Amino acid sequence: MQHFKKAAMRSMAGLALVAPAFTFAQTSSQTLYGIMDVTVRHASNAGANRGGLTTVGDGLFGGSRLGFKGTEDLGGGTRAFYVLEMGIDPSTGLAQQSTATANYGQVASAAGRAFGRESLVGVSSEALGVLTLGRQYTLAHQAAARIQPMGNPNIDAITVLSNHHMARQDNMIKYAKELGPVTLAGSVTLSEGNGRGSGLSATYAGGPFEAVAYGQNLSAATGGETRNIRGAGVAYRISTDWKAFLAYMERSHEISLQRNKVASIGVNYSVTPLLTLTASYTQDRQNAFAANGSGTRKVAWVSADYYLSKRTDVYAEVDRNRIDGGYVLPAFMGTRGSQTGVTVGLRHRF
């Protein structure tokens, strides 16, 4: 028994020597946040008989969400952080970000994901950069958001670039480093039976000018096909009230002969600090070697966004889609030709 007591005292003394390493003063924060954005939309040519359809749905420019995030200061300019963010359909309360079948770097999740927008943990250092692990936005998605007037739109009727490059992938490792006004980033998506991925991006932000260039490769779960995305663009703040955007992207495949070339222009105009007007035009040219032959999708839209307060805004938008030739018919359109949509939305941030 005496021997046991002496051993226990030695162990406690040892712990006392080690303990200070775990009791350095550190600061941490936890945040609950979200957006509820509900729209009422009417669109023509939404059914097989070209009939109109009125719906209540998710936000036009950004999806509704509930998120948790936290940071911890590890000292020496280093911090750990996490993000858990789920998408919510505000018209039904159902989870968003569903995936019908496992492919291109995403697991199958037909009923949606608990935290489908983001699910990651990371560490950042002023000297070494930022490393993140988990379900994340692709670098193409992040880069493209910088060169469009309202970022990557949330609904298919006015988004084009996101439909090609995919917004997110599972099982991703991403690294980014700021070098003055330039940020370089790279990502690798591990397959785990769902398809691989990789990406590179370079961003310049100096004064009123921003420029990005990016590449994203998305491999099918079977390993036989790879979708290649290459894009670039600029954003320029002309004045305090005006900002212009120009984007270009190409999509190609290792096996399929389909090629898409997308060009987009847009502008934001701040009429007052509370009211912003936006206009955008995008053209997607599909080459003649695609399964349905050559064709074009043209999308034009205008919007007005008015802030009732710091957290709450209302907006209205009108868009028009035109499908020509053999371009693949989007799911939101009933038949080939044209569709006109009108949307009003109410958005609250918390």
Side-chain angles (χ1 to χ4, degrees), residues 63-138:
S64 298
R65 68 202 69 177
L66 174 66
F68 307 85
K69 61 183 178 181
T71 65
E72 182 180 24
D73 184 1
L74 302 179
T78 301
R79 67 184 182 98
F81 61 93
Y82 75 91
V83 179
L84 287 170
E85 187 174 286
M86 67 184 302
I88 302 170
D89 181 345
S91 66
T92 62
L94 295 176
Q96 298 270 44
Q97 287 76 53
S98 62
T99 304
T101 58
N103 209 1
Y104 289 111
Q106 296 194 94
V107 302
S109 179
R113 290 171 165 81
F115 294 102
R117 294 186 63 88
E118 288 187 280
S119 175
L120 63 88
V121 65
V123 61
S124 68
S125 166
E126 295 177 359
L128 299 178
V130 182
L131 175 68
T132 50
L133 311 168
R135 177 172 170 83
Q136 305 177 59
Y137 289 104
T138 62

Side-chain angles (χ1 to χ4, degrees), residues 149-162:
M150 295 293 278
N152 291 296
N154 186 52
I155 70 167
D156 288 341
I158 62 171
T159 188
V160 180
L161 295 176
S162 295

Side-chain angles (χ1 to χ4, degrees), residues 11-26 74:
S11 297
M12 293 177 64
L15 287 173
L17 292 174
V18 175
F22 298 93
T23 57
F24 290 148
Q26 297 173 338
L74 302 179

Side-chain angles (χ1 to χ4, degrees), residues 79-316:
R79 67 184 182 98
F81 61 93
Y82 75 91
V83 179
L84 287 170
E85 187 174 286
M86 67 184 302
I88 302 170
D89 181 345
S91 66
T92 62
L94 295 176
Q96 298 270 44
Q97 287 76 53
S98 62
T99 304
T101 58
N103 209 1
Y104 289 111
Q106 296 194 94
V107 302
S109 179
R113 290 171 165 81
F115 294 102
R117 294 186 63 88
E118 288 187 280
S119 175
L120 63 88
V121 65
V123 61
S124 68
S125 166
E126 295 177 359
L128 299 178
V130 182
L131 175 68
T132 50
L133 311 168
R135 177 172 170 83
Q136 305 177 59
Y137 289 104
T138 62
L139 288 175
H141 194 70
Q142 291 179 311
R146 301 176 71 101
I147 50 177
Q148 298 179 82
M150 295 293 278
N152 291 296
N154 186 52
I155 70 167
D156 288 341
I158 62 171
T159 188
V160 180
L161 295 176
S162 295
N163 290 338
H164 290 297
H165 63 230
M166 292 185 58
R168 306 167 183 86
Q169 287 187 310
D170 303 326
N171 310 314
M172 183 185 293
I173 303 170
K174 184 189 296 183
Y175 172 76
K177 181 70 173 75
E178 289 186 8
L179 301 170
V182 176
T183 300
L184 302 177
S187 69
V188 175
T189 299
L190 305 183
S191 174
E192 300 190 24
N194 311 308
R196 300 181 181 276
S198 61
L200 291 172
S201 71
T203 303
Y204 172 83
F209 183 75
E210 293 180 74
V212 300
Y214 59 91
Q216 194 78 38
N217 298 326
L218 310 162
S219 297
T222 59
E225 178 66 290
T226 299
R227 184 188 305 180
N228 302 309
I229 303 296
R230 304 291 182 264
V234 296
Y236 184 74
R237 181 162 293 284
I238 302 169
S239 67
T240 303
D241 301 327
W242 289 89
K243 189 172 184 179
F245 304 82
L246 177 64
Y248 180 78
M249 187 219 72
E250 291 190 4
R251 166 183 171 176
S252 63
H253 295 256
E254 296 293 332
I255 298 176
S256 169
L257 296 177
Q258 178 177 341
R259 301 288 188 274
N260 289 77
K261 296 181 178 180
V262 182
S264 178
I265 59 174
V267 63
N268 286 339
Y269 172 55
S270 297
V271 181
T272 71
L274 301 179
L275 176 63
T276 299
L277 304 181
T278 301
S280 176
Y281 175 77
T282 303
Q283 181 169 285
D284 183 356
R285 291 184 175 273
Q286 178 180 289
N287 72 0
F289 299 104
N292 299 323
S294 62
T296 305
R297 178 186 174 193
K298 300 174 182 177
V299 187
W301 57 268
V302 294
S303 70
D305 187 6
Y306 183 78
Y307 275 79
L308 302 172
S309 69
K310 182 178 180 180
R311 297 178 179 272
T312 304
D313 60 313
V314 293
Y315 57 86

Side-chain angles (χ1 to χ4, degrees), residues 41 43-47 50-51 296-298 319-324 329-330 332-341:
R41 176 176 174 81
S44 65
N45 188 16
R50 299 186 63 84
T296 305
R297 178 186 174 193
K298 300 174 182 177
D319 58 79
R320 184 170 178 82
N321 275 267
R322 175 75 188 180
I323 302 296
D324 294 317
L329 183 67
F332 60 84
M333 290 184 66
T335 64
R336 295 186 177 280
S338 300
Q339 179 190 81
T340 300

